[in-house]
Amino acid sequence: MRIATFNVNSITARLPRLLAWLESSGTDVLCIQETKCSAEQFPYDALRELGYEAAVNATGRWNGVALLSRVGLEDVVTGLPGGPDYEGVEEPRAISATCGGVRVWSVYVPNGREVEHDHYGYKLDWFRALSVAVAEDAAGARPFAVLGDFNVAPTDEDVYDPAVFAGLTHVTPAERAALEALRTAGLSDVLPRPLKYDRPYTYWDYRQLAFPKNRGMRIDLVYGNAPFAKAVKDAYVDREERKGKGASDHAPVVVDLEL
């Protein structure tokens, strides 16, 4: 089974590229973040023509997550159980389902904006709720993984220059401690191969030629439990999908399982 995660940065803007990538990559299950469309606007028909069912948690604007599967889509849970609101709104940042015997979550963790901003506290609260919500599945015998845009670089090795990010979100001790809490719950970081260069970055800003200069970050992550990690035969960042006109500023992370 091939499972991937991809922050598409607007599925409407990226749809032709996404459909082509799904066909060429042979992906069975795809976790999508930042749909930037409502559930009603989601391109179900185009994806169905390629054999994918879709489960969507999206209200429009800037967030939105989805799961695509051609190996089954069962027991869908929309949202983060026990998750916090932001300014009175439950943002669409999580969705989970069982696909071909694997329990999968697609998550889009809050950005945090600035360390002193209310959104940063919301981000840490969201992580705490996630750790609680996944604990039972993480400890179970069924392969289980949380995939998505975590908006945290796990270590200094996961950013092109730690000095550039000093004092900023995505690299703070509190955010990294939130990832450690997931590991304590029984999940481990499935580290992908980079395919090019020595670090498997997954995000490059559109500005200042960040991509051709490889000034990236690894913030799109796969956290799996022991049965999931044992089944992993390969994992890589599909850097080629970040190239060219109309690309997302993220690249897909692809994981091959032998179940």
Side-chain angles (χ1 to χ4, degrees):
M1 182 187 297
R2 175 162 286 181
I3 298 178
T5 182
F6 191 7
N7 180 324
V8 296
N9 189 14
S10 174
I11 196 167
T12 302
R14 236 59 68 188
L15 185 58
R17 288 190 61 132
L18 177 62
L19 295 174
W21 183 81
L22 285 168
E23 284 199 284
S24 65
S25 68
T27 298
D28 297 304
V29 179
L30 178 62
C31 301
I32 293 177
Q33 301 84 45
E34 217 171 341
T35 63
K36 293 186 177 179
C37 71
S38 67
E40 293 74 23
Q41 296 167 322
F42 197 81
Y44 298 96
D45 291 342
L47 292 161
R48 193 177 295 115
E49 289 181 7
L50 292 183
Y52 292 94
E53 300 177 81
V56 180
N57 182 13
T59 56
R61 300 183 69 183
W62 305 111
N63 304 314
V65 290
L67 280 168
L68 309 181
S69 176
R70 61 182 187 180
V71 292
L73 195 63
E74 302 173 346
D75 302 324
V76 175
V77 176
T78 301
L80 174 62
D85 294 344
Y86 185 66
E87 297 182 339
V89 177
E90 182 184 352
E91 296 183 321
R93 294 184 172 275
I95 192 165
S96 56
T98 302
C99 306
V102 180
R103 188 71 184 170
V104 176
W105 283 56
S106 176
V107 300
Y108 181 38
V109 176
N111 178 281
R113 300 181 188 173
E114 299 172 355
V115 173
E116 301 301 324
H117 199 285
D118 287 346
H119 209 260
Y120 181 76
Y122 165 58
K123 180 179 190 174
L124 298 180
D125 288 343
W126 204 94
F127 260 123
R128 281 189 282 270
L130 179 64
S131 293
V132 173
V134 304
E136 183 176 351
D137 279 324
R142 174 176 58 179
F144 169 75
V146 183
L147 305 91
D149 181 352
F150 283 66
N151 272 315
V152 180
T155 71
D156 282 352
E157 291 294 311
D158 296 305
V159 295
Y160 73 91
D161 184 353
V164 172
F165 297 92
L168 302 179
T169 59
H170 293 58
V171 300
T172 64
E175 291 166 295
R176 288 176 172 172
L179 289 180
E180 179 60 35
L182 288 178
R183 291 190 284 271
T184 300
L187 302 177
S188 60
D189 185 359
V190 177
L191 186 66
R193 297 184 290 118
L195 296 190
K196 184 177 182 180
Y197 301 114
D198 60 342
R199 298 180 184 178
Y201 299 142
T202 66
Y203 165 82
W204 300 260
D205 199 298
Y206 286 129
R207 299 168 295 180
Q208 299 178 334
L209 300 176
F211 181 66
K213 294 180 179 179
N214 201 36
R215 294 176 176 173
M217 307 175 70
R218 186 172 76 94
I219 57 176
D220 302 88
L221 310 175
V222 178
Y223 270 60
N225 69 354
F228 184 95
K230 184 178 180 180
V232 173
K233 297 306 174 185
D234 193 14
Y236 63 91
V237 179
D238 191 349
R239 193 179 185 277
E240 293 298 307
E241 186 54 28
R242 177 59 178 81
K243 293 181 177 179
K245 184 178 180 180
S248 171
D249 45 2
H250 295 250
V253 179
V254 180
V255 179
D256 288 332
L257 303 177
E258 187 173 296
L259 300 169

